[in-house]
Amino acid sequence: MKIKFALFILALFVVSCTSTKPVVRTTTKPKVTTKSKPVTQTKTTTKTTTKPVVVTSPTKSETTDSKPKTDSEVSLVATSNVKTYAEEIQIYVDNFKEIAQNNMRAHGIPASITLAQGILESGAGKGKLALSANNHFGIKCHKEWNGESVKHDDDAAQECFRKYEHPSESYRDHSLFLTSRPRYSNLFKLDKGDYESWAKGLKSAGYATDVKYPDKLIGLIERFELYKYDNEVLSRDFKPSKKEVILAQGGDYYTIQQGDTLYSLSKKFNLKVDDLKKLNNMSDNAISIGQQIKIK
């Protein structure tokens, strides 16, 4: 009996030792199964910088935004309250010139006018509506609109504006907007290449309340030679005549020429930029080719 009892005790001891081993193994397994590769978060979503829909070479526009800009670089202040510069405007023109020409062929609106309005209304594609809704002309929803929309502060808070999948749809809608409103009907009696009359006609028809709106359009068209795209559609070779530089009245006024900026004029006439702005009751640095400004 003593021998049997001793064997029973020994068996219990062996069983208790073997039962502890799985516990030891389970503590080591989590370290083996932790795969470090899926945890790597180096590929964070790089879409944090909302690139302008317009710009085909985003690196170019990003670098121009990061470097300091002088008065001599300023081209205009758009109606979207976004400052834009010559390099950005040229990129915008290159991206949308063919779309504007196609709309000219289909609807009869000068490509130069459409491009200039797009630049001015969208800040060369940098404005909020252009970026969030591909809306380059600030077209509001109106009753007939059944598509997507966004809210944006304009004449009133949180107004309804049309949203497009692609900027080209905005360009097409802009053409349809002008062709379908009776108040713009007189525009289509004008020469398709007469951008000056079109610019003034838009203002007269109530398209914009800004008294400088026609001058701004004409200035953009002549500075960036947008009339060339009208020429291609109309198969002609029109060039605007050079305007007089100094007007009468004892040389107290100057007519803005291509390439002029407030900064360059301040150097030319030995005035400060702020003095020029005060003389002409200007709230920003926007000037247009053909515009007359006081210099004395």
Side-chain angles (χ1 to χ4, degrees), residues 242-253:
K242 197 166 184 178
K243 297 176 175 68
E244 290 291 326
V245 176
I246 299 292
L247 297 181
Q249 303 177 21
D252 291 346
Y253 289 82

Side-chain angles (χ1 to χ4, degrees), residues 34-292:
T34 52
K35 295 180 181 179
S36 57
K37 286 184 180 179
V39 184
T40 54
Q41 296 179 353
T42 52
K43 290 187 179 180
T44 54
T45 53
T46 54
K47 294 180 181 178
T48 50
T49 54
T50 52
K51 297 176 183 176
V53 182
V54 184
V55 181
T56 52
S57 56
T59 52
K60 220 170 190 179
S61 66
E62 285 165 10
T63 52
T64 53
D65 283 344
S66 60
K67 67 182 180 182
K69 298 177 173 74
T70 63
D71 284 329
S72 62
E73 292 176 296
V74 176
S75 174
L76 79 155
V77 179
T79 54
S80 56
N81 295 322
V82 176
K83 284 188 178 180
T84 185
Y85 302 85
E87 185 182 21
E88 295 166 332
I89 291 173
Q90 192 56 60
I91 291 171
Y92 184 91
V93 171
D94 291 341
N95 287 342
F96 293 107
K97 59 187 180 184
E98 289 184 17
I99 293 173
Q101 286 178 308
N102 288 336
N103 276 277
M104 181 177 179
R105 293 183 184 99
H107 303 287
I109 302 163
S112 59
I113 286 289
T114 305
L115 284 169
Q117 285 190 285
I119 293 165
L120 196 60
E121 301 290 339
S122 75
K126 291 168 61 182
K128 286 183 180 179
L129 277 175
L131 293 175
S132 65
N134 288 323
N135 190 332
H136 286 230
F137 300 91
I139 300 178
K140 296 179 183 179
C141 292
H142 302 292
K143 294 178 182 179
E144 69 269 19
W145 181 248
N146 296 316
E148 290 188 67
S149 63
V150 295
K151 298 293 184 182
H152 181 70
D153 292 346
D154 192 53
D155 297 325
Q158 294 297 287
E159 289 190 89
C160 182
F161 286 84
R162 301 182 184 190
K163 183 177 181 180
Y164 306 96
E165 288 188 12
H166 191 274
S168 61
E169 295 176 19
S170 174
Y171 268 71
R172 179 177 176 273
D173 215 10
H174 169 262
S175 295
L176 293 175
F177 182 84
L178 293 181
T179 55
S180 63
R181 263 63 177 181
R183 61 175 171 162
Y184 299 116
S185 59
N186 285 334
L187 290 171
F188 297 91
K189 298 173 184 176
L190 300 171
D191 181 342
K192 290 179 183 178
D194 187 358
Y195 59 83
E196 290 196 39
S197 295
W198 271 82
K200 292 170 184 175
L202 281 166
K203 172 67 177 66
S204 299
Y207 188 93
T209 55
D210 182 4
V211 293
K212 292 183 181 178
Y213 193 76
D215 290 335
K216 288 178 180 179
L217 293 182
I218 294 166
L220 283 168
I221 290 168
E222 294 184 350
R223 179 170 182 179
F224 293 93
E225 300 182 337
L226 305 182
Y227 53 83
K228 287 183 177 179
Y229 306 115
D230 298 339
N231 287 347
E232 288 176 11
V233 174
L234 299 171
S235 301
R236 68 178 191 181
D237 187 24
F238 168 80
K239 287 182 182 178
S241 57
K242 197 166 184 178
K243 297 176 175 68
E244 290 291 326
V245 176
I246 299 292
L247 297 181
Q249 303 177 21
D252 291 346
Y253 289 82
Y254 175 81
T255 303
I256 302 300
Q257 302 294 295
Q258 185 170 338
D260 283 339
T261 64
L262 284 185
Y263 179 77
S264 66
L265 294 177
S266 70
K267 297 296 182 184
K268 185 171 187 174
F269 297 110
N270 198 25
L271 291 167
K272 292 180 180 178
V273 171
D274 287 341
D275 291 338
L276 275 172
K277 289 169 75 171
K278 284 177 185 176
L279 275 170
N280 294 278
N281 297 317
M282 297 171 68
S283 59
D284 53 51
N285 293 339
I287 56 176
S288 307
I289 295 173
Q291 180 184 344
Q292 300 165 11

